[in-house]
């Protein structure tokens, strides 16, 4: 997976708290901000909006389920 997926996972898991997400990923906040800017650009969405975060959380859960099915 590209670095963007784990970045988005961490961001959402930490309820949008970028400092906590960066710490969990072991990267600098500046790097996280750059990755999040790229994600927002690709999605053409503001990931700080609650509705967007909810939809992304569901999408990533679906992706995790598909990955788990492939591995079993």
């Amino acid at each position: 997976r590209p670095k963007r997926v784990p970045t988005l996972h961490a961001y959402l898991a930490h309820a949008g708290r970028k400092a906590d997400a960066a710490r969990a990923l072991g990267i600098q906040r500046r790097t996280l901000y750059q990755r999040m800017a790229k994600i927002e650009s690709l999605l053409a969405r503001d990931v700080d909006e609650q509705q967007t975060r909810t939809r992304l959380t569901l999408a990533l859960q679906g992706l995790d389920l598909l990955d788990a099915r492939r591995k079993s």
Side-chain angles (χ1 to χ4, degrees):
R1 286 185 183 174
K3 291 179 185 176
R4 290 181 291 270
V5 173
T7 299
L8 191 53
H9 262 292
Y11 175 80
L12 295 170
H14 290 91
R17 292 186 307 272
K18 293 176 180 164
D20 292 341
R23 194 173 310 113
L25 291 165
I27 60 174
Q28 294 182 5
R29 272 192 292 178
R30 182 180 326 172
T31 302
L32 181 83
Y33 279 89
Q34 291 169 347
R35 290 182 188 178
M36 293 307 300
K38 180 64 174 178
I39 290 167
E40 286 185 330
S41 173
L42 290 169
L43 297 174
R45 298 279 187 261
D46 179 359
V47 295
D48 288 325
E49 291 180 3
Q50 183 58 45
Q51 186 176 23
T52 300
R53 285 203 314 251
T54 300
R55 288 177 174 173
L56 289 171
T57 297
L58 291 172
L60 289 177
Q61 287 174 350
L63 183 60
D64 289 343
L65 285 172
L66 289 173
D67 284 347
R69 286 186 73 183
R70 284 188 207 128
K71 292 177 182 175
S72 55

